[in-house]
């Protein structure tokens, strides 16, 4: 039997998953959902890997959340039978036909936030068992109707002959320092208000689906009966800087080689085409080095990350491999065709990012 | 013969290239280089497409620039025979072997900015015709040695038995409002100083390679004898906001569907997984809509761009398709497996992004 290659021999830049940390993250979120009596429908947009999705279901997830019709197709092809597209899908033309084909082979839920979108969904999904879930804005102000108006969309769906199961929201404003508690309260209130709005028009089967990784620790089982966190499988520099994860919870990093050095600035070969360019105003930089917590990724270009080390820290040598945690792991994974899986410092597997680039 | 599908029937989100605008951009840059008597070695990291690279050579480019060994392999496989890796490649282990294999089948240039990197290159490239080009920092402060120290790296390369052809720089600080003239002057001065440093140690064959798209219009043929612009093939929102291009020069946009609408905020389905998340502090947003120049992309998440329209502008309807110019087109192209090619509003071709994700 060939010896497993060591992580130190990797061709950088590449994304490396620590299998044990991943497993611990999967187990912990499954336990959290179970302990709260809340269904877990993890968002597969983060990992896009069939192997990880299978493990999520083994650990008790009720199904998967996806962001696009294309992602749903990949996971349906992979044998998954219960999928929710948490997006206000515009089901015109070919997209409508693709949605219909999906609904004929899996239990399918689709988001909607307007009467116009619902009309198209009704045409596309006529004769199928697909369900509509009304998207509600809980404070992120992106998509979704105001909670008190959820009944209008639900009633429109019923008029078109669609089955409505309930409401969902994404409290994306939890992605700000010190905003997690407020966002979790907003999320709970919005779901309860929207649920009441559906009851007033006598539509919906009571689904109240929420959840982001930052608010997952604050889940309120009186308000939510389903949660859809995504990032928790890997975590990232953002989650650590937001206080939603510790460095030991970060399961995916980019392996990068130090290629240039000028004073206390080192350049490594993982740039924005590996890490993604997400850099919220509150972030300390364009990623973090878990093994060098005082270092800062001051600048990022396509193939270079410029990392500044503190005065009193020891500098990695030219040619050494360092680990870089991306700010936003979903963006990083979507840049890679595959991730390298390691355990105990050895490469043990490689997983295809099966739904990479399936944005439509 | 089947009618070419109309752009209005595209499955959004997707990247759409206007073939005529692309051709005009290719012709204009080729003419600029020819008129100045400067060699054009365009950077293929922007388009990563064999079809575009072939056209660049037909129009007189002397070869291609690439950023990584992986990109070089793709273009070598595609039949290109003169490649320069404009990066301080760390040629250890397997990467050294790959570099050697490349040098055995194409005319290969490789960047270096340290004696340590040069030693590894010498070991990897022994017995090949590969050349080293010394990278110089002209003010961007990323990789590259100070111009006056270029002779040290060149002398180290010669001691190891490597052939040195000259110096190169990337004036990346041209990517700031009002900084183009200053960056072009810095670039010219740095290349001349570095060239003089090489002459003092009697190394190098006089190559002085520079160039970015913002500084291409200011090329100084006394200082440079080769230019390596990349973005000019497509242009993007950054180039327009920097004043280096007009909207009619933008050859690539994302086609996106309006999926949600709240007041004057519209959400379209091209997010950071399509456009990339590059957002320099001076940019007006996370991309631009060329057909709605007053609109601003205020927020971007993975599958949503939130676009705010001015009070007096007419709003695109729900379900309509709009064009979004990414801030940084290189990042957007690297997210797509293929680009749709159009002419006169019809789809005429599809090109694979052959070197997508080849970051190492």
């Amino acid at each position: 039997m060939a010896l497993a290659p060591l992580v130190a021999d990797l061709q950088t830049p590449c994304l490396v998953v620590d299998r044990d940390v991943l497993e611990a993250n999967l187990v912990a979120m499954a336990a959290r959902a179970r302990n709260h009596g809340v269904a877990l429908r993890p968002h597969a947009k983060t990992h896009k890997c069939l192997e990880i999705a299978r493990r999520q279901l083994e650990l008790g997830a009720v199904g998967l959340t996806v962001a696009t019709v294309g992602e749903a197709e990949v996971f349906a092809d992979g044998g998954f039978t219960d999928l929710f597209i948490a997006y206000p899908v515009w089901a015109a033309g070919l997209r409508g036909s693709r949605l219909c084909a999906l609904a004929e082979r899996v239990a399918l839920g689709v988001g909607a936030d307007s009467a116009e979108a619902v009309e198209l969904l009704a045409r596309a999904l006529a004769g199928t068992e697909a369900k509509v879930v009304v998207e509600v804005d809980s404070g992120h102000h992106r998509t979704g109707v105001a909670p008190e108006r959820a009944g209008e969309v639900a009633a429109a769906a019923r008029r078109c002959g669609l089955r409505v199961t309930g409401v969902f929201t994404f409290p994306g404003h939890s992605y700000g320092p010190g905003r997690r508690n407020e966002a979790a309260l907003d999320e709970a209130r919005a779901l309860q208000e929207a649920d009441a709005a559906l009851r007033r028009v006598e539509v919906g089967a009571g689904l109240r689906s929420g959840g982001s990784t930052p608010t997952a620790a604050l889940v309120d089982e009186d308000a939510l009966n389903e949660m859809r966190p995504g990032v928790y499988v890997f975590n990232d520099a953002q989650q650590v800087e937001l206080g939603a994860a510790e460095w030991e919870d970060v399961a995916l990093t980019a392996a990068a080689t130090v290629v240039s050095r000028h004073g206390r600035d080192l350049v490594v070969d993982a740039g924005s085409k590996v890490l993604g360019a997400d850099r919220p105003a509150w972030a300390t930089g364009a990623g973090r080095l878990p093994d060098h917590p005082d270092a800062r990724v001051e600048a990022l270009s396509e193939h270079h990350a410029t990392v500044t080390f503190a005065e009193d820290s020891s500098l990695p040598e030219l040619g050494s491999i360092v680990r870089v945690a991306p700010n936003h792991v979903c963006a990083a994974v979507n840049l890679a065709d595959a991730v390298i899986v390691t355990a105990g410092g050895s490469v043990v597997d490689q997983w295809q990012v099966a739904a990479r680039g399936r944005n439509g």
Side-chain angles (χ1 to χ4, degrees), chain A:
Chain A
M1 185 183 137
L3 285 176
L6 294 175
V7 170
D9 295 330
L10 291 172
Q11 283 288 283
T12 66
C14 61
L15 298 186
V16 178
V17 174
D18 184 312
R19 194 178 60 182
D20 297 336
V21 177
L22 167 66
E23 176 69 10
N25 292 342
L26 295 176
V27 166
M29 189 62 82
R32 177 179 289 159
R34 199 167 49 243
N35 292 342
H36 284 276
V38 169
L40 178 62
R41 184 182 287 279
H43 209 314
K45 75 181 168 68
T46 300
H47 56 71
K48 294 174 175 273
C49 292
L50 300 176
E51 293 84 351
I52 299 176
R54 285 190 195 115
R55 187 72 187 126
Q56 289 175 314
L57 261 70
E58 281 172 7
L59 289 167
V62 298
L64 297 178
T65 305
V66 295
T68 68
V69 176
E71 285 183 352
E73 289 166 340
V74 169
F75 284 99
D77 290 346
F80 294 85
T81 57
D82 191 331
L83 302 173
F84 169 47
I85 308 176
Y87 196 83
V89 175
W90 192 258
L94 178 57
R95 190 178 291 109
S97 322
R98 291 166 60 202
L99 209 52
C100 181
L102 270 171
E104 283 167 351
R105 59 179 175 143
V106 302
L108 185 70
V110 185
D113 78 347
S114 68
E116 293 91 333
V118 152
E119 272 178 47
L120 280 172
L121 286 174
R123 258 180 263 166
L125 295 170
T128 74
E129 300 288 311
K131 299 145 282 182
V132 163
V133 191
V134 178
E135 184 172 5
V136 175
D137 178 12
S138 54
H140 187 36
H141 306 320
R142 190 175 67 181
T143 43
V145 289
E148 65 275 15
R149 296 192 47 208
E152 298 170 29
V153 179
R158 185 180 48 191
R159 277 196 302 276
C160 302
L162 284 166
R163 186 173 150 220
V164 178
T165 51
V167 293
F168 80 103
T169 194
F170 172 63
H173 55 314
S174 61
Y175 279 75
R179 297 201 63 189
R180 277 202 292 162
N181 288 330
E182 169 201 346
L185 289 171
D186 288 346
E187 175 187 34
R189 191 169 42 230
L191 288 173
Q192 287 175 311
E193 281 183 28
D195 181 61
L198 260 62
R199 288 178 195 280
R200 284 196 297 275
V201 295
E202 295 175 352
V203 182
L207 176 67
R208 303 181 303 278
S209 176
S212 67
T213 293
T215 57
L218 307 164
V219 62
D220 173 358
E221 58 261 47
D222 294 328
L224 283 71
N225 50 25
E226 180 180 278
M227 56 197 282
R228 308 184 319 279
V231 172
Y232 77 95
V233 297
F234 295 138
N235 291 306
D236 54 24
Q238 280 188 167
Q239 298 296 331
V240 173
E241 295 198 344
L242 287 169
E246 305 290 335
W247 285 122
E248 62 256 35
D249 307 323
V250 173
L252 181 146
T253 50
T257 299
V258 179
V259 297
S260 186
R261 181 172 158 172
H262 302 278
R264 303 204 69 79
D265 290 344
L266 269 59
V267 174
V268 305
D269 64 359
S272 65
K273 281 177 173 170
V274 173
L275 301 171
D278 289 70
R279 187 174 183 165
W282 46 263
T284 64
R288 288 285 293 271
L289 279 60
D291 305 314
H292 303 276
D294 295 334
R296 291 292 177 269
V297 182
E298 301 284 356
L300 199 66
S301 39
E302 288 160 66
H303 300 280
H304 310 71
T306 305
V307 189
T308 302
F309 283 73
E311 281 300 330
D312 52 351
S313 60
S314 67
L315 291 179
E317 295 194 351
L318 262 177
S320 59
I321 294 184
V322 298
R323 300 193 305 143
V324 186
N327 271 347
H328 185 190
V329 72
C330 308
V333 170
N334 184 54
L335 287 158
D337 293 316
V339 295
I340 308 286
V341 186
T342 63
S346 290
V347 175
V348 294
D349 208 345
Q350 177 166 314
W351 294 334
Q352 295 307 303
V353 183
R356 198 214 77 72
R358 297 296 297 265
N359 296 305

